Amino acid sequence: MQIKSLDELKKIRENSLKKVNLRQTGESDSPHTEILVGMSTCGIASGARETLNALVEEVNNNNLMDVKVIQVGCIGLCHSEPIVQVNRPNEKPVVYGKIDAQTGREIIKEHIINGKVLDQYVIDADFARP
């Protein structure tokens, strides 16, 4: 991608900062819920592909039009893969660890549809920078 002006560069920077802010604080002006699935080598080796497929299937089965399932890279917690992060508008992100396909379906039903965090799968992952 060739950047043609300073304004274009500033717009790219602004959009990137919004994405970083969403990941760190959950603050977003987007009305969509985002489900991030770690799909790096460690995640795939731990079964993240099956987890991702189950999440997508469950979102489609429940006709959840305001939910996006997004593949992301490694966040540095390889021991807890597959990792699923739920970002709901104006809520602190929730990071789940060791999520198989069945638990992924449970996250959709309990957390996404009913709003109940599955505490037993939550891992301590704070992305805040000092």
Side-chain angles (χ1 to χ4, degrees):
M1 171 176 33
Q2 184 176 15
I3 299 170
K4 297 177 181 168
S5 69
L6 182 58
D7 287 338
E8 189 176 339
L9 179 61
K10 286 179 180 177
K11 188 173 181 176
I12 292 170
R13 181 180 188 273
E14 185 177 303
N15 288 336
S16 295
L17 287 174
K18 285 180 183 177
K19 290 178 185 174
V20 170
N21 195 36
L22 172 63
R23 185 166 191 139
Q24 291 180 344
T25 66
E27 294 176 9
S28 171
D29 51 2
S30 169
H32 299 284
T33 294
E34 294 183 340
I35 302 171
L36 310 179
V37 181
M39 293 293 290
S40 61
T41 305
C42 54
I44 292 170
S46 300
R49 188 175 313 280
E50 291 78 12
T51 301
L52 175 79
N53 290 338
L55 289 166
V56 170
E57 183 179 304
E58 207 60 27
V59 165
N60 290 335
N61 288 344
N62 288 285
N63 200 27
L64 301 172
M65 304 302 286
D66 61 340
V67 177
K68 298 177 183 176
V69 180
I70 303 168
Q71 298 180 42
V72 298
C74 182
I75 64 169
L77 301 170
C78 304
H79 56 81
S80 296
E81 294 286 356
I83 292 176
V84 172
Q85 179 175 327
V86 175
N87 295 333
R88 300 182 83 176
N90 302 313
E91 293 181 15
K92 185 175 180 183
V94 176
V95 181
Y96 293 105
K98 299 188 186 261
I99 303 302
D100 61 13
Q102 181 58 37
T103 309
R105 290 183 181 92
E106 191 177 348
I107 288 171
I108 297 296
K109 288 178 184 167
E110 294 299 326
H111 189 156
I112 303 302
I113 295 174
N114 296 324
K116 179 183 170 196
V117 175
L118 302 173
D119 292 327
Q120 67 270 34
Y121 301 109
V122 173
I123 59 173
D124 184 24
D126 187 3
F127 303 108
R129 304 277 192 275

